[in-house]
Amino acid sequence: MNQTEEARADPFLQSIRAALSAEPDPRFAASLGDDLRARRALATAQLFWFDMATSFGQIRIVHDGRLVHLVSNDPANFEAFASERLGFLPQFGGRPSVAAAVAAVLAGRKRGTEVAYLGTLASFQRQVLQVTARIPRGEVRPYGWVARKIGLPGAVRATGTALGHNPVPFVVPCHRVVRSDWQLGEYSARGGTATKERLLRSEGVDTECLDRLRAGHVRFQGSRTTHIFCLPTCYSGKHLQPANLVNFHDEREARGAGYRPCLLCQPA
């Protein structure tokens, strides 16, 4: 058998040849281009800012013309905030396409990671924010859920710290991460917990219901008709009739009653 025949017979060589001859993934190319643009903008201090009105107040967006690098709702301290994070002050400059992308994120039509640049963050924080960006609008998840999703279930405190230093709040929705007892917890943006509650209410989260669940030490809620248990704000359980709703204090209780975890919110 000659070399050509050997290459044809070797599955590994065939897979390498197929990979080399395949068309480049346009999504990868676009992502690489965005990363290069963002790094160049940081290196040359070519970032810009504009203010954007929202239903929960005005926010300031720092961008490179394509991706968002910083978000703040504290214009009085913006110079100090930007200098600390970037090492320079961005210039004023709006970009309708960036504003439209941020609006789509706030409306739940895009994920924050499609709009925000996270390339300068440490790997752990980037993973935390990538998971957080997947939490649907109008729902909340415990800090422990985020830690479990990045494969480090014991890193709950570190997860909270990473979210507390989120450079792009509102866009990457760290306000949707709460304590395991459904207490809202702290928030990095100006206004702290009060701002966090206002944001969640604007998205349709019943924070008073979360207070009642906390008082009753309820961790999960199940459906008597489907025998599925969910996190309390999960979309699949929002329209359950009270007669079909059952509360559980922990996973063992739910599984012991014959309930299985929801595939949407993945409570366990």
Side-chain angles (χ1 to χ4, degrees):
M1 181 183 291
N2 59 38
Q3 290 184 340
T4 301
E5 291 172 330
E6 288 180 359
R8 288 174 178 169
D10 189 326
F12 176 73
L13 291 177
Q14 289 177 346
S15 66
I16 293 296
R17 182 181 293 107
L20 291 174
S21 62
E23 290 293 325
D25 185 341
R27 291 172 299 180
F28 173 77
S31 176
L32 181 60
D34 286 343
D35 186 73
L36 291 173
R37 172 203 286 268
R39 291 182 183 276
R40 187 182 303 114
L42 285 167
T44 59
Q46 291 297 303
L47 292 181
F48 306 88
W49 67 267
F50 65 89
D51 288 332
M52 180 173 176
T54 72
S55 61
F56 47 84
Q58 184 170 280
I59 57 176
R60 183 160 292 181
I61 309 293
V62 176
H63 66 97
D64 60 23
R66 168 73 176 87
L67 296 178
V68 173
H69 290 242
L70 292 177
V71 181
S72 173
N73 68 334
D74 189 7
N77 295 302
F78 175 70
E79 289 190 6
F81 173 68
S83 296
E84 178 185 355
R85 291 281 188 166
L86 302 172
F88 63 88
L89 290 179
Q91 308 167 54
F92 174 76
R95 182 62 67 93
S97 59
V98 175
V102 171
V105 170
L106 298 179
R109 299 191 302 271
K110 276 181 178 286
R111 282 186 182 171
T113 45
E114 297 177 60
V115 175
Y117 179 62
L118 307 177
T120 60
L121 301 181
S123 175
F124 176 81
Q125 186 178 21
R126 189 163 59 249
Q127 290 180 68
V128 167
L129 295 182
Q130 287 168 340
V131 167
T132 302
R134 301 206 302 261
I135 302 173
R137 188 178 190 275
E139 300 186 25
V140 298
R141 301 286 186 269
Y143 290 101
W145 181 92
V146 177
R148 178 164 54 86
K149 287 299 176 184
I150 64 171
L152 295 169
V156 177
R157 186 182 296 274
T159 294
T161 300
L163 291 171
H165 291 85
N166 177 13
V168 284
F170 310 103
V171 171
V172 172
C174 52
H175 61 277
R176 296 176 192 160
V177 186
V178 300
R179 296 180 182 177
S180 60
D181 64 354
W182 308 119
Q183 189 171 345
L184 298 187
E186 299 299 322
Y187 187 46
S188 59
R190 181 172 60 89
T193 303
T195 296
K196 189 173 189 176
E197 181 171 12
R198 187 164 67 252
L199 271 167
L200 291 173
R201 284 182 173 275
S202 74
E203 295 182 352
V205 175
D206 186 345
T207 58
E208 292 180 356
C209 178
L210 294 180
D211 289 339
R212 292 193 295 272
L213 294 175
R214 182 173 69 255
H217 305 287
V218 173
R219 182 81 180 273
F220 306 115
Q221 294 187 306
S223 165
R224 288 190 172 91
T225 56
T226 64
H227 279 77
I228 291 173
F229 70 93
C230 301
L231 294 168
T233 59
C234 177
Y235 175 81
S236 62
K238 280 187 175 181
H239 305 294
L240 282 176
Q241 296 297 319
N244 292 327
L245 186 67
V246 56
N247 293 329
F248 296 112
H249 298 95
D250 54 38
E251 180 184 351
R252 180 182 297 180
E253 182 183 11
R255 290 187 183 275
Y259 285 67
R260 63 186 188 278
C262 172
L263 294 177
L264 289 180
C265 67
Q266 300 176 343

